Amino acid sequence: MTTNSSTRRLFLVDHMCVLPFGHNLNAMVLFERELGRFFEGTMCLACSALPDYAEQANQVRRELSFPYDGVLERAAATKRSDGVAVNKTQLGIRPLLNNRLVRKALYTASFEFLGIDIVSGRTLSDWKSIFRRHKISRADAIFFPSAEFYGCVTLLELLGQLPETERPSVHFRFIGVGENVKYSFSQARPIFLDAIRRAKLNGTRLSVSAETPRYVEYLRNILDIDVLFVPYPLASESASIPWRQNKTIASPGQGRADKGFFRLNSIIGEIAEHYPEVRFEYDVQNMRTRDRDYRSRYESGLARIPRMNLRPERLSQDEINSVYEKSDIMLLPYDAETYAMRGSAVYQETLAVGRPVVCSRDLGFSDLVVRYGNGLLAESDTEFADALVELSSWDKKKVEKACRDARNLFERDVESAFTQVAEILQS
């Protein structure tokens, strides 16, 4: 489908697209594929610090400054011939300002005690360069697959300085991550939402969406505007489910405490205790050793579980695809507080490839599991064990039909959402 409009170009922007792993880079490429068909041309703008060896790095333009260098460590700049990443600043004494915590303290203290917002000023200056370089005008549109505080708020500030006749249309997709990050003692999201209200009042063509129905409802109530539900695009083709007698339970995505990594041992223990006749295989992605929650003893215990495949914390896209294709059921015991409104790219990748899932209740995407009917919800570790065993007892044809119907409904939701976004951006 195409839309008649004078809007020529779409710029997809992500100021947090700086790491060679995670979903930011892949998301930009996927969103470009879905939205690009409605525009004459597209351009993905990622951070200049995104390393060359990042998969799909050649599909984006690395031009943006990185506002979150006090929150996230940048990736190593190069790789050795053996594939190990090497950061030159780690080979000698690291300069003081290369320390992430020092940068965070500097940015916060400058803002709170001196009234100088270093990061906003830098990001605003960067936006002005981007506008000049690409000659961005009213005929263009800017889309954020993952709305984040500094990139979005400073863009609105710049647009407020321009005549309405020169402002591109803008769309922010909220996912519950970057919009909460600011170097100050005050919360970021209320300031962000207030900037949206002011921009709407001053005539900026601005639209908003969220990746879960719960977040949509929250933003509608707070902003008193229409907010769209825009899911993560289909990331892969559906794959035949193995559904062997000894089924494989996978927990995809880099191990994190808020993704339930430290619940896995207990859940598997519940299965072993209450269902000794069940012999599951397990495929789990590990946690980074530099993660503040990392525990070597827990990792060792997890690795000793019978039939456990504990993968490295970072996987290539081919390896990630292999996890999905070789597995039967996905296990997502996410933290209900952290993910109260958030979605999960892992869940939507699971839905795309055609696998059933067991995940926590009261998550931002729990309603989607109910809507699409491709899994079960649980709360306690015992409930997770029960749900995994119950799901594994389903007939293969029943599972295949449930996953096929879920994907078909999801495809319709994706098509409807992106058509609406394109029409709004081009109005």
Side-chain angles (χ1 to χ4, degrees):
M1 175 178 178
T2 59
T3 303
N4 294 324
S5 171
S6 60
T7 305
R8 295 179 291 109
R9 297 178 299 174
L10 173 69
F11 292 84
L12 297 99
V13 180
D14 190 346
H15 284 84
M16 298 190 84
C17 186
V18 72
L19 298 176
F21 51 87
H23 291 99
N24 292 76
L25 179 54
N26 193 42
M28 278 222 293
V29 174
L30 289 172
F31 276 91
E32 181 186 31
R33 183 192 69 190
E34 290 295 333
L35 280 173
R37 54 203 168 101
F38 298 101
F39 295 85
E40 293 181 18
T42 60
M43 188 179 300
C44 292
L45 299 181
C47 293
S48 59
L50 180 72
D52 291 338
Y53 59 83
E55 290 184 88
Q56 300 177 307
N58 63 337
Q59 298 186 49
V60 301
R61 295 181 67 128
R62 288 167 283 176
E63 300 182 2
L64 302 175
S65 65
F66 180 47
Y68 303 98
D69 56 347
V71 179
L72 296 172
E73 290 284 3
R74 298 182 184 185
T78 59
K79 276 188 175 183
R80 296 200 308 249
S81 59
D82 59 3
V84 176
V86 178
N87 191 331
K88 293 181 180 179
T89 61
Q90 297 175 349
L91 301 179
I93 298 175
R94 297 179 65 179
L96 185 62
L97 289 181
N98 276 344
N99 184 285
R100 175 178 57 83
L101 296 179
V102 171
R103 288 193 298 265
K104 182 177 182 180
L106 173 64
Y107 299 152
T108 304
S110 297
F111 177 78
E112 293 291 348
F113 303 117
L114 300 177
I116 301 173
D117 194 336
I118 296 174
V119 177
S120 289
R122 186 178 67 196
T123 311
L124 177 60
S125 177
D126 187 52
W127 266 123
K128 291 177 179 178
S129 298
I130 293 291
F131 268 58
R132 287 193 300 268
R133 184 180 309 131
H134 298 294
K135 296 180 174 58
I136 296 176
S137 70
R138 184 176 177 82
D140 298 314
I142 299 176
F143 178 86
F144 286 75
S146 307
E148 37 77 27
F149 181 85
Y150 286 103
C152 295
V153 171
T154 56
L155 173 62
L156 295 181
E157 182 179 349
L158 174 59
L159 295 181
Q161 299 171 7
L162 299 176
E164 286 189 41
T165 55
E166 297 180 13
R167 299 176 193 171
S169 59
V170 178
H171 186 96
F172 298 150
R173 178 177 177 267
F174 281 70
I175 69 168
V177 181
E179 60 262 44
N180 297 312
V181 182
K182 186 179 188 296
Y183 301 108
S184 72
F185 299 147
S186 56
Q187 293 186 341
R189 186 161 55 193
I191 299 172
F192 190 174
L193 298 181
D194 190 52
I196 290 175
R197 293 189 195 95
R198 293 197 309 272
K200 295 284 286 186
L201 289 173
N202 74 12
T204 297
R205 293 179 297 153
L206 172 62
S207 53
V208 175
S209 66
E211 70 169 343
T212 68
R214 291 191 186 188
Y215 209 171
V216 167
E217 196 62 31
Y218 170 83
L219 292 172
R220 279 178 179 164
N221 291 335
I222 294 293
L223 294 172
D224 195 27
I225 62 173
D226 188 29
V227 179
L228 299 178
F229 165 53
V230 176
Y232 193 81
L234 287 163
S236 57
E237 297 297 324
S238 181
S240 176
I241 190 167
W243 215 247
R244 298 166 291 253
Q245 181 176 357
N246 296 336
K247 295 174 178 59
T248 297
I249 309 297
S251 183
Q254 188 175 97
R256 291 206 319 253
D258 61 7
K259 288 186 175 182
F261 183 75
F262 292 113
R263 298 185 64 182
L264 298 178
N265 200 356
S266 177
I267 292 171
I268 294 171
E270 290 287 330
I271 295 172
E273 178 179 354
H274 298 290
Y275 303 96
E277 73 283 1
V278 175
R279 294 177 61 85
F280 287 141
E281 309 280 341
Y282 300 100
D283 197 339
V284 174
Q285 194 168 338
N286 208 347
M287 175 180 278
R288 289 184 305 129
T289 56
R290 294 182 65 187
D291 192 301
R292 65 181 181 180
D293 296 313
Y294 174 77
R295 305 174 200 165
S296 59
R297 181 175 296 182
Y298 180 84
E299 177 189 32
S300 299
L302 204 62
R304 288 197 297 269
I305 292 176
R307 302 176 298 282
M308 167 63 71
N309 179 17
L310 188 58
R311 295 178 182 259
E313 74 275 11
R314 295 179 185 174
L315 301 176
S316 68
Q317 192 59 49
D318 286 343
E319 290 170 326
I320 292 170
N321 293 340
S322 176
V323 172
Y324 288 109
E325 291 172 4
K326 293 180 179 179
S327 300
D328 298 287
I329 300 171
M330 301 298 169
L331 171 60
L332 306 178
Y334 285 19
D335 176 63
E337 182 175 350
T338 304
Y339 283 83
M341 291 187 290
R342 287 172 57 177
S344 166
V346 169
Y347 167 66
Q348 290 175 311
E349 288 169 353
T350 294
L351 196 154
V353 79
R355 297 293 182 271
V357 63
V358 177
C359 78
S360 304
R361 291 194 184 94
D362 297 322
L363 307 178
F365 63 94
S366 300
D367 297 335
L368 298 179
V369 177
V370 176
R371 171 173 173 75
Y372 297 121
N374 68 322
L376 301 174
L377 304 178
E379 188 169 353
S380 68
D381 293 345
T382 300
E383 287 181 1
F384 268 98
D386 293 342
L388 288 167
V389 172
E390 178 186 344
L391 197 53
S392 72
S393 69
W394 288 9
D395 179 75
K396 183 177 182 179
K397 291 184 178 179
K398 177 181 178 180
V399 174
E400 288 176 333
K401 183 180 187 305
C403 291
R404 184 172 58 252
D405 291 346
R407 182 184 167 104
N408 289 339
L409 178 55
F410 184 74
E411 284 179 332
R412 292 197 293 273
D413 284 349
V414 168
E415 180 64 25
S416 173
F418 284 99
T419 300
Q420 289 183 73
V421 170
E423 290 175 347
I424 291 171
L425 286 173
Q426 297 175 339
S427 62

